[in-house]
Amino acid sequence: MATRTRPPIPGACRKTQEAERLLARYPQLDAFELARLVAIFPDLPLIDKAVMTADEALSDKLAAFYRDHGDRLSVSSGLLSLLLVLPVAAAGAALWWLIG
């Protein structure tokens, strides 16, 4: 079965183009391709994800992908805590150094 090809998002990065190609074939992906899509999808720019969501050809497949693998796409709360604590600690250390 041939998949319909369409032009990629103008100016999209290689990861976005790869994600589009994989999503166009979802769920007929082998284990390696599925693992690759799960690995690269969280790193895609939000604007590219929004364009994929608005795309008629990809929106249903993207919804199915989120439904099936959404739990693997979220950022862990530990990482979010670390990303919040590090700048606060650096600002505190800078203030301590300047004042002290």
Side-chain angles (χ1 to χ4, degrees):
M1 179 165 124
T3 52
R4 186 179 71 161
T5 59
R6 58 177 198 74
I9 298 171
C13 66
R14 282 191 183 166
K15 282 186 180 181
T16 300
Q17 292 173 0
E18 181 181 4
E20 280 188 315
R21 283 192 302 273
L22 292 171
L23 273 174
R25 294 184 26 243
Y26 185 82
Q28 283 81 31
L29 300 176
D30 62 31
F32 175 76
E33 291 170 327
L34 182 59
R36 179 68 181 150
L37 183 57
V38 169
I40 64 173
F41 201 82
D43 297 333
L44 298 180
L46 286 176
I47 188 70
D48 291 347
K49 290 179 187 178
V51 171
M52 285 184 225
T53 302
D55 186 319
E56 273 184 38
L58 293 178
S59 62
D60 291 337
K61 293 182 182 231
L62 184 58
F65 176 67
Y66 267 112
R67 182 186 61 242
D68 298 341
H69 305 286
D71 57 329
R72 296 169 57 189
L73 301 175
S74 61
V75 178
S76 71
S77 59
L79 178 60
L80 289 175
S81 299
L82 182 65
L83 292 174
L84 178 64
V85 168
L86 286 178
V88 170
L95 281 173
W96 183 266
W97 181 75
L98 287 172
I99 294 173

